[in-house]
Amino acid sequence: MQPVTRDLSTLPKAHLHLHFTGSMLPETLHDLAELHDIRLPQALLSNEPLRVPADQRGWFRFQRLYTAARACVRTESDMRRIVDEAVAADRSEGVGRLEIQIDPTSYAGWLGGITPTLEIVLDEARAAAARHHVDVGIIVAASRIRHPLDARTLARLAAHHAGDGPGEVIGFGLSNDEHAGNTAEFAPAFRIAARADLALVPHGGELRGPDHVAEVLRHLGPDRIGHGIRLAEDPRLLDEVVARGIGLEVCPTSNVALGVFADLASVPVETLITHGAQIALGADDPLLFASRLTDQYLGLRQLGWDDATLAELARSSIRISRASSMVKQRLLQAIDQWLATPPEVTD
Ligand SMILES: [Zn+2]
């Protein structure tokens, strides 16, 4: 008897950890590079999945490639294309709710400032949500490698556009090198975002361990943590995160690509779940890691996870999203249906 499986690309899910530039399709990056006459590094031309050691040189290599890709995004139509394609691509993978994050600072120089940059993204997110029938929310993310005052400016911009409707700002994040910046200095920015009722979703606990998550908890009061995978190293802190109802955006392929774990089997997703953590699998930067959202679920299936367990993971992604309760209910029902449909027998 061969294993019976359902199509994971039709499993309804929420995608809560995806970066704007990192969401780009390889062919789009190549088009934009040609359009703006930019020479791409070989690693971006080849579309080979990135694999770096978990040290500073590895992170810098990742950042260099990310910056090279970002440099190809220069016009309003580039921005709109990326948003539209991110929504369409995720739709084809069963995503019913997408929360995509962007640091508008990176593109503001070409587009006349952070305000017009964000407004283009919000406008296109609204249109793409309707076009592709996906519920879309935008997360504004500040960067640890810039001054905390810049984070405050971004938090105020995010707060100004806060809302629950399609294509509104639903969250505020903090990304980039976990070794950079002083977490406490970003607390005022997170307070601004909290007052606007934005979801607080800083990165933490990927490149650095539980000590980093502890800092994030103490100073930023997160609703979800981007990654948090290394909480598995500190069961007590993990239990505290679970007790506080803080969700984790777990991105297994990203962890392996950045050398945090040797392979997929070593990523301790199961430890987090055993402790009751609410998890949303995420692709992080499919452009660099050559692995999309469904691939995260497929990877776990290859490790022996059955459909009921994978469906429960998808449920958890929806529960910890910022979707409205109506959308959540609809997507949760669709997951029940997916699981109730008998799988195809392959032989
Ligand atoms: Zn990330």
Side-chain angles (χ1 to χ4, degrees):
M1 179 79 176
Q2 292 297 309
V4 290
T5 54
R6 295 167 180 83
D7 181 358
L8 285 171
S9 71
T10 61
L11 170 63
K13 27 183 133 53
H15 195 184
L16 310 181
H17 198 109
L18 179 68
H19 296 270
F20 176 78
T21 298
S23 79
M24 232 190 296
L25 305 175
E27 53 269 34
T28 303
L29 175 66
H30 300 163
D31 283 356
L32 297 184
E34 206 179 297
L35 184 70
H36 302 305
D37 205 17
I38 294 165
R39 248 187 69 200
L40 287 173
Q42 189 52 37
L44 286 176
L45 285 169
S46 66
N47 301 336
E48 285 288 308
L50 184 75
R51 214 43 201 272
V52 296
D55 56 19
Q56 235 187 8
R57 278 181 55 195
W59 177 261
F60 284 159
R61 175 138 192 268
F62 163 75
Q63 268 304 317
R64 213 166 39 242
L65 292 176
Y66 200 90
T67 305
R70 200 163 46 200
C72 297
V73 185
R74 299 195 167 179
T75 67
E76 176 172 347
S77 84
D78 299 346
M79 304 284 294
R80 288 188 182 275
R81 177 174 175 182
I82 294 168
V83 173
D84 178 68
E85 289 178 348
V87 176
D90 266 17
R91 172 72 267 181
S92 72
E93 294 192 39
V95 171
R97 165 75 178 182
L98 169 63
E99 298 179 7
I100 183 168
Q101 53 186 295
I102 181 167
D103 177 354
T105 319
S106 317
Y107 319 92
W110 299 105
L111 294 159
I114 53 174
T115 301
T117 304
L118 181 62
E119 281 172 0
I120 290 165
V121 169
L122 293 176
D123 186 60
E124 188 59 35
R126 211 170 290 129
R131 207 157 36 236
H132 303 295
H133 310 289
V134 179
D135 204 45
V136 181
I138 300 295
I139 294 163
V140 170
S143 171
R144 284 184 166 274
I145 62 171
R146 280 195 274 270
H147 197 282
L149 282 174
D150 290 341
R152 276 198 238 186
T153 305
L154 283 173
R156 275 191 288 271
L157 176 69
H160 183 71
H161 292 277
D164 295 326
E168 288 186 291
V169 177
I170 56 102
F172 184 69
L174 182 63
S175 57
N176 216 308
D177 188 356
E178 289 175 9
H179 294 97
N182 176 347
T183 303
E185 291 176 359
F186 292 96
F190 277 75
R191 280 198 293 271
I192 293 168
R195 278 199 296 274
D197 199 26
L198 292 168
L200 308 182
V201 293
H203 283 59
E206 184 193 29
L207 304 173
R208 285 179 54 199
D211 61 316
H212 188 243
V213 178
E215 275 175 24
V216 166
L217 290 177
R218 191 175 325 122
H219 301 294
L220 309 182
D223 296 294
R224 297 195 306 247
I225 295 171
H227 298 292
I229 186 70
R230 291 186 56 193
L231 274 168
E233 295 163 25
D234 185 342
R236 260 183 48 194
L237 191 63
L238 173 55
D239 288 340
E240 186 191 328
V241 164
V242 172
R244 285 168 64 172
I246 298 166
L248 303 175
E249 304 156 5
V250 173
C251 311
T253 310
S254 165
N255 299 156
V256 174
L258 294 175
V260 179
F261 297 101
D263 51 35
L264 225 47
S266 312
V267 182
V269 188
E270 203 167 342
T271 308
L272 302 185
I273 290 177
T274 309
H275 281 257
Q278 291 288 309
I279 283 174
L281 293 179
D284 212 358
D285 299 301
L287 174 67
L288 296 178
F289 306 143
S291 173
R292 301 191 54 87
L293 181 60
T294 302
D295 295 320
Q296 314 307 311
Y297 288 82
L298 275 168
L300 293 177
R301 172 182 274 169
Q302 278 155 12
L303 295 174
W305 294 45
D306 63 16
D307 284 358
T309 313
L310 294 170
E312 188 49 34
L313 260 185
R315 282 192 196 102
S316 139
S317 75
I318 286 161
R319 282 190 214 111
I320 63 171
S321 78
R322 269 287 175 123
S324 69
S325 53
M326 221 172 70
V327 169
K328 284 184 179 176
Q329 206 180 12
R330 172 168 59 76
L331 293 173
L332 290 170
Q333 277 170 2
I335 292 175
D336 292 344
Q337 266 169 23
W338 180 86
L339 200 57
T341 309
E344 282 176 33
V345 180
T346 50
D347 55 25

